[in-house]
Structures are given as structure tokens and as C-alpha cells.
Amino acid sequence: MNPYSKDFPVSWHELHRDARALSWRLLEQGPWKGIIAITRGGLVPAAILCREMDIRLIDTICVVSYDSNDEGGTANVQGDLRILKGVEGDGEGYILIDDLVDTGKTAREIRKLLPKAHFATVYAKPAGKPLVDTFVTEVSQDTWIRFPWDMEYTFSTPLADRQKG
């Protein structure tokens, strides 16, 4: 069953703006040794943070936590967490970045691996919010965030035409 009843589409412009806002907050808390991006969602925010904060050292922790559902292949069913590639150390001096924290399942497991990293996300939901150190925007738990890399531009039927059907 899909726990998400609302959609929150995020444009490239909005994501860039929000990741820059996150950079401002994180700059005040530095200096930082580098960034560890949680793949795949943390890759784009990591690139923005690296540029805005002049950080050159980037690593990844590669995980799989969402599976496609049977309704059109949208990856919105959280399955078992699998770590495909880890990182060395405990995360001290590093920013651990992801696009969002949802239920906190991924965050909890990665926190165990990198307990001293500063965990930052662009977006946070109530169930996962206590697990991150810094975030920019909170959205409700029943909202599916549609990131720009998951969308394409298509024709949208006018609202008046939708009501006729």
C-alpha cells in the first residue's frame, strides 16, 4: 500500500535554491574535511554544496532502500536497506548529505556506520527529522517529493477539462 497521498514536485531551480540555503547553514558550522553523498539522492545536493562551500573532497556511500511498486514503476515503496559501497572512518569532520530524510530507516543505518558525520538533508519529514543535524524544508509524512531527476515535462490537461470527464 502506498503511504503517500500528496505530491510535492520540486523543480531544478527550487532544488538549487534550497541546497544553496543548506550550504549557508553548513558554512557557519565548518570547517569541513569533505562531503559524503548518500547515493543516489545525495549526489545532486552534494555537487551544489561542494561548489558553494568550496569543498573538493567528495566520497559516496552507496545504498538501495526504495523499490518500485506495481503501479507504474514509481520507486516509492521502501524495502530492505542494502549497502553497495561504504566509506572508511566514522565520519568525523564530514558532511553526510542526502536529498531527504523520510521514515528515518536509511538515516538510522547510515548513522550507525558514520556516527560522527554531520548529517544534512535538503528536505525532512517528521519521522526522520530527529535523525538529521541540519535541513532546510520540512514536508508532511504523507507527501511524496518528486525530484527533478525523476520527472519529465509533459502536457498537462487544463483543470476545467479534467472536471468534464
Side-chain angles (χ1 to χ4, degrees):
M1 186 169 129
N2 185 349
Y4 306 103
S5 60
K6 299 175 191 145
D7 271 345
F8 185 73
V10 177
S11 70
W12 285 110
H13 174 77
E14 291 166 328
L15 179 73
H16 190 231
R17 178 201 60 210
D18 293 344
R20 286 189 79 214
L22 182 60
S23 298
W24 292 328
R25 292 179 186 177
L26 293 169
L27 269 172
E28 298 170 352
Q29 300 175 49
W32 302 103
K33 293 179 184 176
I35 291 179
I36 301 167
I38 300 173
T39 67
R40 293 176 307 204
L43 290 171
V44 172
I48 296 167
L49 265 61
C50 287
R51 187 229 183 235
E52 297 300 334
M53 300 173 69
D54 194 28
I55 293 175
R56 306 281 176 165
L57 182 58
I58 306 163
D59 202 348
T60 57
I61 183 163
C62 305
V63 300
V64 176
S65 63
Y66 281 90
D67 295 319
S68 294
N69 67 13
D70 294 332
E71 301 166 13
T74 303
N76 61 3
V77 178
Q78 195 164 29
D80 292 331
L81 181 76
R82 290 182 297 145
I83 297 182
L84 306 174
K85 178 200 159 289
V87 295
E88 291 189 21
D90 59 10
E92 186 170 7
Y94 285 85
I95 297 168
L96 179 63
I97 182 73
D98 206 354
D99 52 2
L100 82 138
V101 61
D102 190 330
T103 64
K105 183 177 178 181
T106 301
R108 229 174 258 103
E109 291 304 311
I110 292 179
R111 275 271 197 214
K112 290 177 191 173
L113 299 172
L114 300 165
K116 294 186 178 179
H118 184 95
F119 197 177
T121 61
V122 183
Y123 304 99
K125 295 184 182 181
K129 187 172 75 166
L131 298 165
V132 297
D133 300 305
T134 306
F135 69 93
V136 174
T137 302
E138 183 174 352
V139 297
S140 64
Q141 198 67 44
D142 61 346
T143 299
W144 182 256
I145 300 174
R146 298 206 181 265
F147 288 100
W149 52 83
D150 291 328
M151 296 185 294
E152 58 185 24
Y153 289 106
T154 61
F155 175 77
S156 176
T157 304
L159 294 175
D161 291 346
R162 292 181 200 176
Q163 292 176 350
K164 291 176 189 175

